[in-house]
Amino acid sequence: MSDFLSNFNGDNYDRRKEEKEPRKELPKQEKQPPPKKAPSSEERKEPPEPQLKRRNPGLKDGIDPSYQKQKKRKQRLIILAVIAACVLLGGFYYQQTHVKVPNFIGKNLTDVQVWATENKVKPKIKQIYDRGKDANTILSQEEKAGSRVKKGGVLNVTNSLGADPDEKLPLPDFMKMNKQQAERWIKENKAENLSLIEEYSDTIEKGRPLRAEIANAEVTPETYKRKDAAKVYFSKGKQTYQKDIKVPDFQRKPRSEVETWAKNNEIDLTYEEKTSNEIPADSIMEQSIAKDEKIAKKDKMSVTVSLGKGYVVPNFSDYSLEDAGTALEGVQVQAKGVYTENLPYGQLVSQSVEAGKVLSAKDDLTIKVYYSLGRPYMKDLRGTMVEGGLQKYFHDEFQSKGANINYVIRRVDSDQPKGTVVGMSHFSDYIPLNLTVSIDISLGNLGSAPTSFPNNNNGGGSDSGENQETPSE
């Protein structure tokens, strides 16, 4: 282009024009010019170039110097305009294809991504852990702020991933810290997986620790890492509620109704039970807070629930063994006589429920009452009892009445029928509560039996025959 423009400088321009236009010689004799005509409209617009130039001392080869200057000035302006147009066009093209890079350091990664999308730039993000910066914070950028990057090009930035989650972070003793100290420790150590939770407590003052929990049972406070989940609970103090719950009248209402009301309103309800001959069972007899009074959630309230009719246990010493069974209507009284060492016959030994106690439908309505039968008495069973009746006799007469009386069998030679009791170690006498009686049973091998038994005060039987003892039990 420079070679082309050099053809338009002063000397080259004149030379080339002279070569193209042959010189015109002046006529030897000048003729008078014809009279001037009025110029036409076209002639007025563009005056024709003079065909002949007069020679004068200022002319050079018939060219006016002022004209040459105007030509050169025009050429320069054209060249400058072309150059300016090229510069402007290049600048416009550069502006359209390049964008100015902002300062992203300290900003969020989202800002980079949004800017890159809007300006058709590809972000290249390098991720590193940095405890001093929050996650998704730009740490550095290769393209300086204020520089320009071509659209479709790459913007290189380094982004923070926050603190390293695998870094070991031994936990302090949170039970010795208040909530503000725990929050400070979490912030300083970037322990974002450790949560502080507040709970109401009636015993621990506000801001004091309640307990600490690590989600993974295998992780200890000494091996805790930043990625491990953990919770520390702090007290919110005692919870208070507004007294805006109106207490209904529960008198004679079923227990289920007051239970439902207490559950729906979160009332701390306790129950007392009492017998009543007027209020049906499981109905409310009394309430600790009167009707229409207002209470708050978690407030305490108690009600008395009817157990129905009550049964007052009498003192059975006022009754005999025969009358005790009908002493208390509605209650089953099991009266029984038992042998005793020192109590006289008919005296009360014991009753299973103490006198004066009130029984209700929820209690065991059975009372056992024992009366004394005095000391046990052993009858003379010789000749009147056979071996087969001994078990029943000893059970019914002694063992069922509290006396531990047993027997053993000796089989002896006798003229009595086989199996008949012919001898006893104790008979026709009072005996102790614990005793084993020896009883002789006839073998029936000696012929005719005598008509009566000799009086054996020592309880001894016949010494002859086979001596074989058999226990009764």
Side-chain angles (χ1 to χ4, degrees):
M1 185 174 182
S2 61
D3 294 338
F4 171 77
L5 294 176
S6 65
N7 291 328
F8 293 92
N9 61 29
D11 296 336
N12 292 335
Y13 179 79
D14 295 339
R15 190 180 306 114
R16 290 176 67 86
K17 189 172 183 182
E18 290 176 359
E19 292 175 355
K20 291 181 179 180
E21 297 181 4
R23 292 182 180 180
K24 296 180 180 181
E25 296 181 357
L26 294 175
K28 296 179 179 180
Q29 186 176 0
E30 293 183 359
K31 296 180 180 182
Q32 293 294 330
K36 295 182 178 180
K37 295 180 182 181
S40 65
S41 60
E42 294 179 356
E43 293 176 25
R44 285 197 298 268
K45 292 180 181 178
E46 294 184 2
E49 294 185 1
Q51 297 296 323
L52 299 175
K53 295 182 182 288
R54 295 180 180 181
R55 291 181 178 273
N56 59 58
L59 294 176
K60 181 181 179 181
D61 297 330
I63 304 295
D64 189 352
S66 62
Y67 177 76
Q68 292 289 341
K69 290 180 181 179
Q70 292 176 356
K71 283 287 186 180
K72 291 179 180 179
R73 188 179 299 113
K74 187 175 181 180
Q75 292 170 1
R76 292 191 191 99
L77 291 174
I78 293 172
I79 294 170
L80 291 175
V82 171
I83 293 173
C86 291
V87 172
L88 290 174
L89 183 62
F92 177 77
Y93 175 78
Y94 186 83
Q95 291 287 342
Q96 294 298 314
T97 58
H98 291 71
V99 289
K100 187 176 181 180
V101 179
N103 182 11
F104 289 112
I105 297 177
K107 293 185 178 180
N108 193 277
L109 176 61
T110 304
D111 297 334
V112 175
Q113 294 170 332
V114 171
W115 181 87
T117 301
E118 292 175 349
N119 293 279
K120 298 180 175 59
V121 176
K122 300 176 182 178
K124 186 176 181 181
I125 303 167
K126 180 181 179 182
Q127 308 274 20
I128 63 172
Y129 291 112
D130 190 309
R131 181 173 174 176
K133 295 293 183 180
D134 293 335
N136 296 325
T137 300
I138 302 301
L139 301 175
S140 63
Q141 60 187 80
E142 289 188 14
E143 289 71 25
K144 302 291 184 181
S147 64
R148 290 187 174 273
V149 62
K150 187 176 181 180
K151 291 185 177 181
V154 177
L155 175 65
N156 297 276
V157 296
T158 301
N159 178 58
S160 172
L161 292 174
D164 186 357
D166 289 316
E167 181 182 354
K168 187 179 289 187
L169 199 64
L171 297 178
D173 187 358
F174 288 108
M175 295 299 99
K176 296 181 180 179
M177 302 170 68
N178 57 35
K179 188 170 183 288
Q180 290 73 23
Q181 291 171 329
E183 288 174 341
R184 192 181 310 117
W185 185 90
I186 291 174
K187 184 177 181 181
E188 292 174 353
N189 292 275
K190 303 290 183 179
E192 297 178 355
N193 284 326
L194 197 153
S195 305
L196 301 184
I197 301 175
E198 290 186 317
E199 287 185 351
Y200 288 108
S201 174
D202 293 338
T203 56
I204 306 300
E205 63 178 301
K206 183 178 181 180
R208 301 305 303 172
L210 297 173
R211 64 187 182 281
E213 298 175 354
I214 300 177
N216 189 344
E218 297 179 357
V219 177
T220 65
E222 293 74 25
T223 61
Y224 177 83
K225 294 181 180 179
R226 188 175 280 108
K227 67 180 179 181
D228 295 324
K231 296 178 182 179
V232 181
Y233 294 84
F234 285 86
S235 171
K236 292 174 66 175
K238 188 174 182 180
Q239 189 174 14
T240 57
Y241 298 95
Q242 185 177 358
K243 292 183 178 296
D244 56 358
I245 302 173
K246 189 176 181 180
V247 178
D249 183 7
F250 292 113
Q251 188 76 14
R252 290 182 175 269
K253 297 292 179 63
R255 176 172 178 161
S256 58
E257 183 175 325
V258 69
E259 286 177 342
T260 301
W261 175 84
K263 182 178 180 181
N264 292 339
N265 292 281
E266 299 182 35
I267 303 301
D268 185 5
L269 189 64
T270 57
Y271 300 92
E272 296 178 2
E273 294 178 322
K274 192 175 181 181
T275 58
S276 173
N277 294 333
E278 298 177 357
I279 307 297
D282 279 337
S283 297
I284 304 303
M285 298 174 58
E286 301 172 358
Q287 58 191 75
S288 61
I289 300 177
K291 68 172 184 177
D292 296 335
E293 287 192 22
K294 291 187 176 181
I295 59 176
K297 286 184 179 180
K298 306 299 182 182
D299 278 359
K300 295 182 180 296
M301 178 178 172
S302 65
V303 293
T304 303
V305 182
S306 172
L307 293 174
K309 184 178 180 180
Y311 304 93
V312 181
V313 178
N315 186 346
F316 283 94
S317 62
D318 298 334
Y319 296 85
S320 65
L321 175 61
E322 292 75 14
D323 297 335
T326 59
L328 186 58
E329 185 179 356
V331 176
Q332 183 181 5
V333 179
Q334 297 177 349
K336 184 179 181 180
V338 294
Y339 289 113
T340 61
E341 290 279 4
N342 303 313
L343 295 179
Y345 180 90
Q347 185 172 331
L348 179 67
V349 176
S350 66
Q351 59 186 76
S352 60
V353 181
E354 66 273 17
K357 183 176 181 179
V358 180
L359 299 180
S360 65
K362 76 169 189 175
D363 296 317
D364 181 7
L365 298 180
T366 301
I367 302 176
K368 294 182 179 181
V369 182
Y370 297 95
Y371 290 90
S372 175
L373 295 176
R375 295 178 63 190
Y377 183 82
M378 176 61 71
K379 295 179 180 180
D380 187 357
L381 303 179
R382 295 176 301 169
T384 61
M385 180 70 67
V386 294
E387 182 180 2
L390 291 176
Q391 291 186 19
K392 185 177 186 306
Y393 174 78
F394 274 82
H395 176 270
D396 294 346
E397 188 66 26
F398 301 112
Q399 293 166 2
S400 65
K401 299 175 182 179
N404 186 26
I405 309 298
N406 298 302
Y407 66 94
V408 293
I409 298 296
R410 294 189 305 172
R411 301 193 183 279
V412 298
D413 297 327
S414 174
D415 58 359
Q416 295 295 313
K418 183 179 179 180
T420 303
V421 176
V422 294
M424 299 176 64
S425 62
H426 299 80
F427 60 91
S428 300
D429 196 6
Y430 289 100
I431 57 176
L433 295 181
N434 294 282
L435 180 66
T436 298
V437 179
S438 296
I439 297 181
D440 297 333
I441 301 298
S442 172
L443 290 173
N445 58 351
L446 297 181
S448 300
T451 58
S452 63
F453 289 91
N455 187 9
N456 186 359
N457 293 327
N458 293 328
S462 172
D463 292 334
S464 63
E466 183 180 351
N467 294 330
Q468 181 179 0
E469 294 188 358
T470 303
S472 62
E473 293 184 354

